[in-house]
Structures are given as C-alpha cells and as structure tokens.
Amino acid sequence: MNDITTNLTTDVVQLDLARPDRIGFGEAVLCEPKTVEQIVRALDQARDAGQAMLLTRLQPQQFAALPAEHRTGLEYDPLSRTAFRGQPAPRRACAPIAVVTGGTSDIPVAREAIRSLAFHGYPTSEIYDVGVAGLWRLQRRLDDLARHPVIIAVAGMDAALPTVLAGLVPALVIAVPTSVGYGVAEGGRTALNSLLTSCAPGLVVTNIDNGYGAACAAMRSMR
C-alpha cells in the first residue's frame, strides 16, 4: 500500500513542458485538489527543466506546507491564490486587456485572470465594482472600456454585467460567472445559465470562477 501511495503522489505528475512551443503559453498547475507532495513534484520538474510555471488555486495552507526552498522561490498572491515560479514573460507591446468586476466580491476571480495574464506578459487595466445595480458606475467608464480590444467581465448574482458590456462596446467580451450570490444563485450556476442564454452577440462564456480560462481565451484572441 505504501508503494502504491508513493507512486500516486509523485509519478503521476507529468508537466507539459512543450506547451509553450506548441500553443504559445506555458504550463499551469491547478493546485487545490493536489497533495503537497504532488505540488512539490511539479515544482521540481519545472526547476529541473529551467522553466517558469504558473500555479493556480494554491491555498494558503498548501503554500505554508511547501518546503522552504520552494516557498522562497515562489511569488505568491493569497488573494488570487496564484503563484509564479521563475520569471514571468517580458511585458508585451500590446494594448492592455481590461478586467472588470460587477462587485468587490468578484475581485479574487478577477485577480486570477490578471495574474495569469501578467505571467505571460500581457498588460491589463483593472476596473472594479461597476455592476449594473448602480448603472452609473459603468456608464462613466464606457469610453475608457471601448478603447480595449478585449474585456474580461467577472460577475456573480445574475451576472448581468457582461451582457450589458457586450451590447455597448466593440471589444471581445469574455464573461466569467462567479459563485458569489445567495440562495438560488447556487454557487454560480444561475450566473452561468444567465450568461449562456445571453442575447448579446459574440459573448464568450467560461466556467464558474474560471479566471485562468478567461485569461487563456484572451491571450488566444490577441495573437
């Protein structure tokens, strides 16, 4: 049993080290469902290959349990639960990608998108708390938002913000429903369903709380 457990915690970790050459952006490791041993193995592989790596959903307790050599080698942001191993890509000479939230409760998911973009060198503009419950907050930022080629719109509750934005600006709008909300919000399912049935043409929708996925969609669209 011990041998089987050892194999499950280490040998099954196989980084996609060729991903940068194949699709243009690097490996990312989803940490939340992994053991600390598996995260260490991934970090060891990236170090041995001399490759930078993005870690997502790295919980504070997981970060604290890492060996000191790995903790000191990570640039960790507890709000987004992301970490950089190695140096991020140089800043790209391109228009910034806007990342917008309906409310302040959506900021952790937005920060996951922002950090994922920053790791790959993409500049961003951060605009928070402009949800449609106070529509004037969005209206006063529309001219600025319209200058961005891509907007990642992060919203919970009824997730109306991305639909409204997609009807007002020429940018590609990538919607991220969040798990923020009471009762029938059902951990983001209501927001997701609302966005999937949006009448705004061309609106792109990611899974619930998937800031990383939204960042990857934005990067592909900027090629």
Side-chain angles (χ1 to χ4, degrees):
M1 179 64 72
N2 288 338
D3 290 340
I4 294 174
T5 302
T6 300
N7 289 336
L8 286 176
T9 57
T10 59
D11 294 348
V12 296
V13 178
Q14 300 182 58
L15 295 187
D16 187 0
L17 298 173
R19 184 182 294 179
D21 295 331
R22 193 173 66 251
I23 64 173
F25 48 86
E27 172 72 292
V29 172
L30 174 64
C31 295
E32 187 171 23
K34 291 182 174 59
T35 66
V36 171
E37 291 78 8
Q38 289 169 340
I39 297 169
V40 168
R41 179 61 177 158
L43 290 167
D44 287 342
Q45 289 184 24
R47 179 200 60 207
D48 294 345
Q51 192 169 111
M53 186 171 67
L54 173 67
L55 291 84
T56 66
R57 303 296 171 89
L58 179 62
Q59 305 303 312
Q61 62 271 25
Q62 291 175 310
F63 176 72
L66 292 173
E69 63 178 299
H70 286 306
R71 285 199 314 275
T72 57
L74 294 178
E75 197 268 282
Y76 181 57
D77 174 34
L79 179 59
S80 64
R81 297 175 295 167
T82 59
F84 301 165
R85 197 220 77 84
Q87 290 297 314
R91 184 180 173 93
R92 296 171 183 261
C94 63
I97 296 167
V99 182
V100 185
T101 72
T104 54
S105 298
D106 303 309
I107 290 176
V109 176
R111 286 288 301 168
E112 181 179 274
I114 290 162
R115 292 265 295 174
S116 298
L117 290 166
F119 180 76
H120 293 94
Y122 287 85
T124 57
S125 300
E126 302 176 45
I127 300 175
Y128 297 141
D129 201 22
V130 291
V132 299
L135 195 56
W136 60 270
R137 298 178 299 180
L138 178 61
Q139 289 174 314
R140 69 180 185 177
R141 305 303 297 267
L142 282 177
D143 289 343
D144 180 28
L145 285 167
R147 290 191 285 268
H148 292 79
V150 181
I151 298 172
I152 296 174
V154 184
M157 301 287 190
D158 56 358
L161 174 64
T163 291
V164 172
L165 269 174
L168 294 173
V169 299
L172 169 65
V173 177
I174 302 171
V176 186
T178 73
S179 51
V180 172
Y182 301 104
V184 296
E186 294 185 331
R189 291 190 63 86
T190 296
L192 175 62
N193 289 335
S194 174
L195 290 168
L196 289 174
T197 56
S198 172
C199 64
L203 181 67
V204 176
V205 184
T206 73
N207 207 341
I208 299 165
D209 292 338
N210 193 3
Y212 169 73
C216 291
M219 289 188 289
R220 285 181 182 270
S221 74
M222 293 286 283
R223 300 294 168 83

